[in-house]
Amino acid sequence: MKNDLILQTITKVAVFIILLFSISIFLGGHYSPGGGFVGGLMTSAAIVLLLLAYDLKTVANILPVDYKLVIGAGLLIAALTVAGAMLFNVPMMTHAYNYFDLPILGKTSLHTAVLFDLGVYLVVVGVTMTIIQTIGEDE
Amino acid sequence: MTSLHWAVFAPFILAIFVPLLYKWFRGIHTGWFILFLPVLLFTYFANFISVTMQGQSVTKSAAWIPSLKIEVDFYVDGLSLLFSLLITGIGALVILYSIFYLSKDKEKLNQFYVYLLLFMGAMLGVVLSDNLIVLYMFWEFTSVSSFLLIGYWNEREKSRYGALKSMIITVLGGLSMLGGFTLLYFMGETFSIRTLVSQSGNLFEHSLFIPALLLILLGAFTKSAQFPFHIWLPDAMEAPTPVSAYLHSATMVKAGIYLVARLSPIFAESGVWLWLVSAVGLLTLFWGSFSAIKQTDLKGILAYSTVSQLGLIMSLLGLGAAALHYENLDDNIFMAATVAAIFHLINHATFKGSLFMAAGIIDHETGTRDIRRLGGLMPFMPITFTITVIGGFSMAGLPPFNGFLSKEMFFTSMVNVLQLDIFNLETWGLLFPVIAWVASIFTFIYSMILVFKTFTGKAQLEKLERKPHEAPIGMLISPVILASLVIIFGIFPNLLSATLIEPAVSSIQPALADHDFHVHIAFWHGWTTELKMTLGVVLIGGILYITLAKWKGIYDLLPSRLSLNGLYDGTLSVIDKGTSLLSEKVMTGSIRRYLIYIFLFFFVVLGISLFQKDAFQLDTNNLAPIGIFELILAAAMVIGSISILFAKSRLTSIIILGAVGYTVSLFFVLFRAPDLALTQLVIETISVALFLLCFYHLPKLSSRKEERMTFKLNNALVSIGVGTVVTLIALSAHSQKLFDSISSFYLENAYKEAGGKNVVNVILVDFRGLDTMFEITVLAIAALGIFAMIRLRLTRRNDQP
C-alpha cells in the first residue's frame, strides 16, 4: 500500500471548494455562465476526486447514494415542473417567477426554472457517477 | 344481398361448415353433404335461361366500397350464364365422382372440399362480376384455391413443384391484368364492364388503350395456358383427378377464355387484339397437339390436349373480332367464328371432363397411368372403354359426336379468313387454315393413342400393381352422364343453339344484330370444303397413327434442355442465384463497406442536387474580418486533425483528439460562448478518459499490433468528396440567408419575460425547455444502458452454464 497522505489531505479541502463552486455555478445559471449541466458535472468531478484519493468502498460509505435513483429523481423533478404548469391552465413548460421577502436573504427572486434546472443537475450527477462507478467496479 | 349474391357466396359459406361436418359425421363421406349445393345452384341458374333467351339480362347490385366505385355487381347475360351452368353442372358431377375416388379413411377430405368449394365460389364470382376489381378479387381467389388443390398431396415433391409453378405463372398474369384493369379505369372512369363497353369507341382512341389490351391479354393467356405460358398445366396434373377434371379442363383454364370473350366488345376494334388472340391461339393449338403425342402419361396427354383445345377456342374468339369490321355485310360469315368458339367450349367441357374421369378410373383400378404399361384393358373395363371411345372420338372430331360439329365450324371459320381484307390478313391469312388442319391431324393421332394404346392390344397384367376390373358404379355415373351429353349434343346440336349459344354470342358481340346467326347453327350438312378437310384429317391421321413407331424419333431431335420448362426452371434458378449473389456481394457484413455506401450516397445525392438545382453560391459581403487568434486556432485544429491520421500509436491519437477538443473550447471562448466553453472542457476531459479506459482494455494479441492506418484510395476519395460537399453546402447556405435571425427576440425578452440574464440558460430551461427535458432523458438512457451492458453480461452467463 502506498501512502497517499498528501493527496488525501488536499482532497479533503479541495472537494469542498469544488462543491461550493459547483453549487454557485448551478444557482447563478440564470444570470451568469453556468447552470444545471455544468454544475452537475462539477459536482461529479468533486466525487471523482474523492474516488481517486480513496477507494470505491470508502466513498460508498461516505456517500451512501444509489446514483440510478438520483437519475430517476432528477427526471421526475424535471417532468413534474414541465407538467405542473398545466395545473394552472397554462401550456406546459410555462415558468413563473416573483420577488419575495425572505428572512436572512431579503428580497429574492424565486423562479420555477430553477426547479427544472435542479432536475437537470441531478440527472447529470447521476449519469456521470453511474457510468464511472459501473466501469470502475468492472473487472 | 339478393338471391344472386347468396348464390355466389353460398359455396364460401358452406366451406366454413365443411370441417364441422367432417368431424361430426366421420361415418359418412363428406362429399355427400357438399353435393346438394352445386345441384341446387345449377337448377337456380337454369331458371335464368328463359330470361337470357329473350336477350334480356339481370343485374343485381350490392354496395361494398362506394367511395372507390367498387360495388359487388353481379350481371347475368348469355355468356356468364353459360359459364355458371358449366361450373355448377360439372362441379356437381365432379363432386359425385370424387366421393368414390377419394377414400374417406385415407384422405384429408375436410381440406379437399373446403378448397373445392372456395374454388367453385371464386369461379362463379369471376364469371358473374360486372365490376373489374371484384372480378380481379375472385380471379386471384381461383389462383389461390387452385394452388391449394394442386398441392393437395403436399407430401409429394412433384405436387409442390406443380402447385408453385402454376401459382407463379397465374399470379404473374393476374397482376398484369390488374394493371390493365387500372388503365381501363383511367380511360373510362368506371370499373363497370357494361359501362366500359358502352364507351368502347372513345376508349379505342385513348393512348393507354394498347397497354391495357396487352396487360389484360397477358392475364388471360397465363390463366388459359396459352403458348408460352402453358407449361404450368401439365405439371398441375399432380393434383387428384377430380381436380384435374374440374379445374384444368372445364372451368379455371376457361377463365381466360371468358375474359377474352367478355372484353371483346371493348377491344375487338383493334387489329392488335385480333392478331394476338388468334395467332397465339393457333400457335397454342399446334404446339399443344404436337407435344401431346410424345407424352406417355394419360393425364399428360390430356393436359397437352387441353392446352391445344384452349388454343383452338382462343383463335376462334380472335377471329370473331373480325365480325365487328363487316357490320354492313348481309351475310356476316365471321360471326360464325364466335358461334364455333362457344359451341366448342361447351363440347370441350363435356368430352374432356369425361376423359379425365376415365383416366382417373384407369389410374384407380390399375395403379398406373403410363400408356407403356397399359393395354388390352377392354375386356376388363368395358364401360370405361366406351366412355373413352366417345370422348376420344369427339376430341378427334369424328361424327356423330359433338366434337365433329365444332371442328367443322372451326374449319369454316379458318377458311373464311381467306376472305378477310383487313390488318394484312390477305397476305398471311393462308397460314390459318393450314396450321389448323395440321394441328387437327395431330389431335386425331393423340386421340387414337389415348383410346387404342390403353384399351386394345395385349394386356400386360404382370406390369400392373393390381388386377384391373371395372370401377364401382358410383364412379361411373359422372363420366357416363358427360359421355351421353357428348352424343346428345352431337345429334341434336340445336338443343343448345337457341338456349345457350345465341345469348352467349350476342353478349360477346352486342353491337351486331342477331338475326343472322340462327342460320349458321342449324346449317350443319352439306358437301363443303370443311368436310373434305375432315376426311383428309382422318385419312392422313390414320396413316400417321399406324406408322407412329417409325417417325416418333423426331421428338428426340428436339433438345430437351431447350424446352420451355427448361427455360422456366433456368429463369427461376438464375433469379435465385442472381439475387443471392447480389446480396452476398452487397451485404458483406462489413461495417466499413456499409459506411462507404452511406457516404457515397450522401456525396452523390447532395452533390448532384447542389449543381442540378444551381444552388451553389458564394457571397463574401456578409463575412466578418478574420483575426490572428482565429487563424492560429484554426491552424492548430487542422494540424491536429491531420496528424490523427498519421499517428502510429493509439495513445497518440487519443491525446491529439483531446487537444482538438480543447481547441474547440478555445474557439468557444473566442466566439464568446462561455457556457459552451465550460461544458466542452469538462465533456472533452471525460470522453478522453473513457477512451483511455477502452484502449487500455483492448486484448493484447499479436494481430492487434499497433500500426499506422493503411492508405486506401477509395476511402480517401470518399472522405475528400464528403468533406468537399459539406463545405460547399455550408458556404452556399451562408451566402443566401433569406431571413433575419430570430435571436434578437431572445436578447430582448430574456430578462423581460423570463427573468434571467444568461440568455443561453434561459433558452435551455425556459424558451426551449422541452428539448432539454428530452436531452436529460437521453443521458439517463445512456447511463442505464452502460450499467445494463456491463452488469448483465447475458451471453457470457449463457456460455458457462
Side-chain angles (χ1 to χ4, degrees):
Chain A
M1 280 251 338
K2 280 183 292 179
N3 192 345
D4 288 335
L5 189 62
I6 299 177
L7 176 64
Q8 290 178 349
T9 314
I10 292 180
T11 302
K12 281 175 196 163
V13 183
V15 160
F16 285 99
I17 300 174
I18 301 175
L19 276 179
L20 272 180
F21 183 51
S22 77
I23 291 169
S24 130
I25 267 189
F26 163 64
L27 287 176
H30 232 51
Y31 296 97
S32 52
F37 200 82
V38 183
L41 282 176
M42 289 279 178
T43 307
S44 19
I47 306 174
V48 168
L49 184 59
L50 276 180
L51 282 174
L52 290 176
Y54 300 91
D55 55 321
L56 277 168
K57 264 189 191 156
T58 321
V59 177
N61 280 334
I62 306 168
L63 292 167
V65 180
D66 185 349
Y67 292 105
K68 298 190 288 301
L69 290 182
V70 175
I71 302 177
L75 277 180
L76 191 68
I77 292 174
L80 284 179
T81 322
V82 170
M86 291 196 288
L87 292 179
F88 301 95
N89 254 344
V90 286
M92 65 175 189
M93 194 85 226
T94 310
H95 289 303
Y97 69 96
N98 214 334
Y99 294 92
F100 298 94
D101 271 324
L102 297 178
I104 308 170
L105 292 172
K107 191 184 174 198
T108 314
S109 159
L110 289 185
H111 200 309
T112 49
V114 178
L115 282 177
F116 185 74
D117 233 5
L118 179 67
V120 177
Y121 174 85
L122 289 177
V123 169
V124 171
V125 171
V127 165
T128 347
M129 291 320 296
T130 310
I131 294 175
I132 289 170
Q133 218 174 30
T134 324
I135 295 178
E137 283 171 2
D138 183 49
E139 285 113 36
Chain B
M1 292 286 276
T2 60
S3 62
L4 195 57
H5 287 85
W6 283 113
V8 173
F9 288 112
F12 293 105
I13 297 166
L14 183 59
I16 299 173
F17 295 101
V18 166
L20 292 179
L21 293 170
Y22 178 70
K23 205 177 161 192
W24 289 342
F25 306 101
R26 287 310 292 260
I28 309 169
H29 197 287
T30 317
W32 291 113
F33 300 110
I34 316 295
L35 184 58
F36 80 95
L37 183 72
V39 175
L40 197 71
L41 289 177
F42 184 79
T43 44
Y44 172 77
F45 282 116
N47 285 331
F48 283 100
I49 292 181
S50 54
V51 180
T52 56
M53 262 176 80
Q54 288 149 12
Q56 311 284 317
S57 59
V58 181
T59 314
K60 302 285 180 192
S61 309
W64 186 22
I65 316 176
S67 57
L68 297 180
K69 297 186 193 169
I70 297 175
E71 316 281 348
V72 189
D73 289 352
F74 289 138
Y75 175 62
V76 184
D77 64 350
L79 187 66
S80 45
L81 182 67
L82 168 68
F83 274 89
S84 308
L85 288 175
L86 276 180
I87 292 160
T88 49
I90 296 190
L93 295 176
V94 161
I95 288 174
L96 178 67
Y97 177 78
S98 71
I99 291 173
F100 294 92
Y101 187 84
L102 294 171
S103 151
K104 82 170 180 287
D105 305 317
K106 290 180 201 150
E107 307 281 4
K108 302 159 283 195
L109 289 178
N110 48 348
Q111 296 180 10
F112 182 80
Y113 287 108
V114 168
Y115 302 159
L116 201 69
L117 281 172
L118 288 183
F119 174 79
M120 188 185 286
M123 203 59 214
L124 280 177
V126 166
V127 300
L128 290 169
S129 294
D130 182 52
N131 191 292
L132 286 173
I133 295 299
V134 177
L135 193 154
Y136 173 73
M137 184 188 78
F138 283 117
W139 183 279
E140 291 297 16
F141 230 134
T142 64
S143 294
V144 172
S145 51
S146 117
F147 168 77
L148 292 170
L149 282 168
I150 296 170
Y152 175 64
W153 285 315
N154 52 24
E155 69 278 9
R156 296 186 191 170
E157 163 100 48
K158 278 186 137 186
S159 295
R160 299 198 299 269
Y161 173 78
L164 190 63
K165 194 175 188 178
S166 76
M167 184 76 161
I168 289 175
I169 294 179
T170 54
V171 168
L172 173 85
L175 283 176
S176 86
M177 196 180 84
L178 178 64
F181 286 171
T182 318
L183 293 185
L184 270 184
Y185 179 78
F186 278 125
M187 291 188 274
E189 302 267 295
T190 174
F191 282 123
S192 161
I193 297 175
R194 275 168 309 142
T195 322
L196 285 169
V197 167
S198 67
Q199 38 178 286
S200 58
N202 302 335
L203 299 183
F204 182 51
E205 277 143 28
H206 204 285
S207 58
L208 291 175
F209 181 80
I210 294 293
L213 185 156
L214 294 177
L215 287 172
I216 290 175
L217 271 189
L218 184 63
F221 286 169
T222 50
K223 198 76 161 181
S224 277
Q226 299 295 299
F227 190 90
F229 307 109
H230 65 274
I231 48 173
W232 66 266
L233 189 67
D235 283 306
M237 290 301 128
E238 292 304 321
T241 304
V243 172
S244 311
Y246 189 40
L247 272 68
H248 307 127
S249 72
T251 53
M252 187 177 93
V253 289
K254 290 191 173 125
I257 303 264
Y258 169 80
L259 195 74
V260 168
R262 176 54 87 199
L263 298 181
S264 267
I266 300 177
F267 292 115
E269 194 108 19
S270 152
V272 180
W273 174 271
L274 191 152
W275 259 109
L276 258 184
V277 176
S278 52
V280 169
L282 269 186
L283 186 59
T284 315
L285 165 66
F286 173 76
W287 188 251
S289 59
F290 178 71
S291 311
I293 294 174
K294 71 174 168 187
Q295 304 299 316
T296 53
D297 178 39
L298 278 183
K299 278 173 88 176
I301 299 179
L302 289 175
Y304 276 105
S305 129
T306 305
V307 169
S308 107
Q309 307 277 328
L310 290 171
L312 188 156
I313 301 174
M314 199 63 100
S315 68
L316 283 172
L317 281 178
L319 287 181
L324 208 63
H325 299 273
Y326 291 92
E327 220 167 316
N328 297 326
L329 286 184
D330 287 335
D331 182 20
N332 201 332
I333 47 177
F334 307 108
M335 188 73 109
T338 312
V339 177
I342 295 297
F343 191 36
H344 195 72
L345 183 104
I346 303 171
N347 295 343
H348 177 251
T350 54
F351 69 67
K352 194 52 67 63
S354 69
L355 282 175
F356 264 113
M357 290 175 185
I361 290 173
I362 295 167
D363 185 18
H364 207 262
E365 304 305 334
T366 64
T368 181
R369 295 195 312 247
D370 193 334
I371 51 170
R372 287 168 300 189
R373 291 160 70 189
L374 294 168
L377 290 180
M378 188 160 55
F380 303 102
M381 313 169 96
I383 304 178
T384 315
F385 170 66
T386 319
I387 294 165
T388 315
V389 165
I390 294 172
F393 282 11
S394 175
M395 182 158 73
L398 297 176
F401 307 108
N402 57 7
F404 169 71
L405 296 174
S406 43
K407 183 142 293 186
E408 293 293 280
M409 290 160 79
F410 169 58
F411 282 153
T412 314
S413 313
M414 289 297 153
V415 170
N416 282 342
V417 171
L418 298 175
Q419 300 183 29
L420 285 176
D421 53 4
I422 45 169
F423 309 133
N424 294 329
L425 274 172
E426 61 269 29
T427 41
W428 294 96
L430 190 62
L431 274 178
F432 280 68
V434 172
I435 295 176
W437 188 69
V438 174
S440 297
I441 294 174
F442 284 122
T443 307
F444 182 84
I445 298 171
Y446 71 69
S447 305
M448 294 306 117
I449 292 175
L450 192 70
V451 175
F452 292 112
K453 294 267 182 202
T454 323
F455 287 100
T456 59
K458 211 165 128 291
Q460 302 160 297
L461 293 181
E462 70 285 352
K463 285 190 185 170
L464 300 178
E465 284 166 25
R466 44 198 111 129
K467 188 165 160 40
H469 58 84
E470 190 55 87
I473 184 75
M475 220 177 194
L476 288 169
I477 297 175
S478 303
V480 164
I481 291 175
L482 285 173
S484 328
L485 285 179
V486 169
I487 301 179
I488 293 170
F489 292 159
I491 300 175
F492 309 105
N494 286 318
L495 278 179
L496 292 172
S497 60
T499 48
L500 289 176
I501 298 178
E502 278 173 25
V505 171
S506 61
S507 41
I508 299 178
Q509 314 232 331
L512 302 175
D514 54 347
H515 56 82
D516 254 339
F517 60 89
H518 287 289
V519 193
H520 280 289
I521 289 185
F523 180 74
W524 60 284
H525 283 297
W527 182 250
T528 51
T529 332
E530 298 86 274
L531 201 57
K532 291 174 201 157
M533 283 168 82
T534 305
L535 280 180
V537 166
V538 175
L539 203 66
I540 297 178
I543 295 168
L544 283 176
Y545 172 69
I546 292 163
T547 56
L548 184 64
K550 290 187 181 128
W551 57 272
K552 218 178 171 183
I554 64 159
Y555 284 106
D556 302 331
L557 295 178
L558 286 170
S560 62
R561 304 196 80 195
L562 283 180
S563 68
L564 287 165
N565 274 321
L567 185 70
Y568 166 85
D569 291 335
T571 314
L572 280 195
S573 75
V574 163
I575 291 174
D576 209 23
K577 279 186 194 135
T579 46
S580 66
L581 199 70
L582 186 71
S583 52
E584 270 168 29
K585 287 272 177 217
V586 177
M587 312 287 285
T588 51
S590 147
I591 302 223
R592 236 170 244 253
R593 195 164 248 250
Y594 299 156
L595 285 177
I596 294 269
Y597 297 153
I598 294 170
F599 285 134
L600 260 185
F601 184 79
F602 179 88
F603 169 71
V604 168
V605 170
L606 288 185
I608 286 178
S609 48
L610 190 63
F611 288 101
Q612 192 112 48
K613 299 278 174 198
D614 216 14
F616 180 69
Q617 279 181 24
L618 193 56
D619 180 12
T620 47
N621 292 331
N622 221 356
L623 299 180
I626 303 172
I628 183 78
F629 291 116
E630 282 116 340
L631 272 179
I632 295 171
L633 282 182
M637 262 179 85
V638 169
I639 293 168
S641 309
I642 291 176
S643 49
I644 290 178
L645 297 177
F646 297 100
K648 199 180 172 199
S649 85
R650 290 192 196 110
L651 198 64
T652 326
S653 314
I654 296 168
I655 302 293
I656 300 175
L657 193 64
V660 172
Y662 288 136
T663 325
V664 171
S665 72
L666 277 182
F667 257 118
F668 287 143
V669 172
L670 203 60
F671 292 140
R672 292 188 292 281
D675 290 270
L676 288 181
L678 267 176
T679 316
Q680 171 70 21
L681 263 177
V682 184
I683 286 293
E684 194 59 43
T685 315
I686 290 180
S687 49
V688 167
L690 284 177
F691 266 123
L692 287 174
L693 204 66
C694 291
F695 282 94
Y696 180 73
H697 285 294
L698 274 183
K700 294 199 167 37
L701 296 172
S702 57
S703 65
R704 288 270 173 203
K705 211 161 58 179
E706 296 215 0
E707 270 174 1
R708 187 167 289 138
M709 198 170 64
T710 49
F711 178 78
K712 285 190 184 120
L713 186 64
N714 293 345
N715 297 357
L717 287 179
V718 169
S719 51
I720 290 171
V722 170
T724 318
V725 163
V726 172
T727 313
L728 290 181
I729 288 176
L731 285 178
S732 29
H734 190 264
S735 302
Q736 32 196 337
K737 279 185 179 161
L738 297 177
F739 306 104
D740 290 336
S741 163
I742 57 163
S743 55
S744 55
F745 169 83
Y746 291 130
L747 292 175
E748 282 164 21
N749 291 295
Y751 192 70
K752 231 189 298 173
E753 299 273 334
K757 286 178 181 160
N758 179 352
V759 183
V760 174
N761 201 42
V762 168
I763 292 175
L764 281 180
V765 299
D766 201 335
F767 289 129
R768 308 291 306 270
L770 215 56
D771 296 351
T772 313
M773 174 71 219
F774 289 103
E775 272 153 26
I776 58 175
T777 317
V778 168
L779 283 180
I781 291 170
L784 294 180
I786 290 173
F787 179 78
M789 270 200 310
I790 290 181
R791 284 295 165 85
L792 293 181
R793 302 265 163 97
L794 284 176
T795 48
R796 195 178 290 177
R797 204 176 293 162
N798 286 345
D799 282 347
Q800 28 184 254

